[in-house]
Amino acid sequence: MPTAAKLVSSIWFALLAWFAAELVKNHLPDGTQVGFMSYISGGFGLLTGWMFMGRRAGDTMRAAYGYGLSSSIILAFWSVFYFAFETMIHRSMSHRYHGPGDALVSMVGLMGEYGLYLIKPDVLIILIVGGFFGGWITEKAVRKWA
């Protein structure tokens, strides 16, 4: 059921994920094709805000900060998972793997490689501070409009 908390958190985490993806682009090697990276990450942020953060609103402010930080971690995980999966599919179409097990092992390695871009100081600070702010603003929304 739609609520103000779900709306606020989905918008905030979509913006946060989009902005974090834009920051990650600065750290990628030159010539990397990014396509719709920011929009796909924003979609994961929207879903995370609606399905995770929005459902947990209405608790204490301390819990809201924790849920916000958890939401940042969740959206980062799903974004990294998606882009590693997409790269693995492209590579498997080029017959670079000997079988599905080899492809999945490579995907885990790609997730680790892509995850390293998230621990750059600017991206990490944005995700942490943005997660805390997302928890705070969602809790404020549920207290105002509940």
Side-chain angles (χ1 to χ4, degrees):
M1 183 161 127
T3 63
K6 287 182 179 182
L7 178 66
V8 168
S9 65
S10 64
I11 291 170
W12 172 253
F13 284 104
L15 290 172
L16 176 66
W18 180 86
F19 188 68
E22 288 292 318
L23 288 176
V24 166
K25 287 179 185 179
N26 296 328
H27 300 291
L28 294 175
D30 291 335
T32 302
Q33 294 181 350
V34 292
F36 293 108
M37 178 179 154
S38 299
Y39 299 110
I40 292 168
S41 296
F44 283 120
L46 186 115
L47 290 172
T48 301
W50 187 273
M51 296 173 67
F52 181 78
M53 184 66 208
R55 285 185 183 169
R56 285 156 180 80
D59 207 348
T60 64
M61 194 57 80
R62 177 187 226 174
Y65 291 137
Y67 294 146
L69 184 60
S70 297
S71 295
S72 285
I73 293 167
I74 290 168
L75 73 87
F77 169 80
W78 283 113
S79 295
V80 166
F81 178 84
Y82 172 81
F83 293 115
F85 182 77
E86 182 182 27
T87 303
M88 183 266 300
I89 291 295
H90 286 290
R91 288 180 179 178
S92 66
M93 293 297 172
S94 300
H95 303 289
R96 291 182 60 181
Y97 302 121
H98 297 293
D102 189 28
L104 290 174
V105 168
S106 174
M107 190 180 102
V108 172
L110 286 168
M111 286 180 67
E113 179 184 328
Y114 294 164
L116 291 177
Y117 292 117
L118 298 178
I119 60 171
K120 302 292 184 188
D122 54 346
V123 180
L124 189 62
I125 289 170
I126 288 298
L127 287 173
I128 291 171
V129 172
F132 286 140
F133 182 77
W136 176 80
I137 198 166
T138 302
E139 192 61 31
K140 288 294 186 182
V142 78
R143 289 179 185 186
K144 182 172 179 79
W145 292 305

